[in-house]
Amino acid sequence: MMMGSSKWLMIMVLCSAICGYGVKAWTGEIHGRVVCDVCGDSSVGPEDHVLEGAEVAVLCITKSGEVLNYQAFTDSKGLYTVAETMPESDKWDACLARPISSFNEQCNQLGKGSSAVKFSYTHPSGKSHTVRPFVYQHRSVPSYCI
């Protein structure tokens, strides 16, 4: 059964009002890596490895003053990602990323200087911010490191 032209017009007006309300969408992304510093030398070397399943918290405040709290876990490459799409007027203004825990039994002591990273988020829509790696230290330094 065909719909009358007045019904089509009403549907088109409603779709335009809902879909194109005049709110410009903004998309942001924060990502980083979590690493096990096997030798405890505070640098990433060939003996070090990424940590899968490490937990990271990201706290952001928006331009409108709303506080958003995100939780992420690292994948098999040690990478975590937090992403959001929201109105341009509510985009992230500043964020704080911090490691929460490592589930690796041999590498679960947070390294020096890896407590938190605070940063302004000034990127346009579709661009990402990379946080420096968070480093956990190995429980006991292997003899080949000394």
Side-chain angles (χ1 to χ4, degrees):
M1 185 165 138
M2 294 191 74
M3 207 180 286
S5 62
S6 62
K7 287 184 181 179
W8 270 112
L9 181 59
M10 185 185 294
I11 289 171
M12 295 297 284
V13 169
L14 283 172
C15 283
S16 295
I18 292 170
C19 299
Y21 187 69
V23 176
K24 187 176 176 187
W26 173 87
T27 301
E29 181 179 291
I30 298 165
H31 55 90
R33 174 171 275 169
V34 180
V35 178
C36 177
D37 181 11
V38 175
C39 290
D41 56 4
S42 299
S43 65
V44 179
E47 69 282 350
D48 301 328
H49 59 87
V50 298
L51 290 174
E52 181 177 4
E55 183 179 8
V56 176
V58 179
L59 183 71
C60 293
I61 188 164
T62 66
K63 295 276 186 190
S64 63
E66 184 179 2
V67 177
L68 303 172
N69 191 17
Y70 304 95
Q71 176 183 15
F73 292 90
T74 57
D75 62 14
S76 62
K77 295 178 183 175
L79 300 173
Y80 65 90
T81 301
V82 170
E84 183 77 75
T85 299
M86 58 183 59
E88 178 83 27
S89 60
D90 291 335
K91 71 181 188 175
W92 296 327
D93 186 36
C95 298
L96 175 77
R98 64 187 181 90
I100 300 296
S101 64
S102 165
F103 295 106
N104 184 298
E105 290 182 18
Q106 295 300 313
C107 201
N108 56 18
Q109 297 291 350
L110 198 55
K112 294 175 185 157
S114 282
S115 58
V117 176
K118 181 181 174 185
F119 54 94
S120 296
Y121 199 98
T122 57
H123 303 297
S125 184
K127 301 295 180 181
S128 64
H129 180 86
T130 302
V131 177
R132 67 170 166 73
F134 292 123
V135 178
Y136 284 87
Q137 293 181 334
H138 205 266
R139 181 185 280 173
S140 58
V141 177
S143 60
Y144 62 82
C145 293
I146 301 173

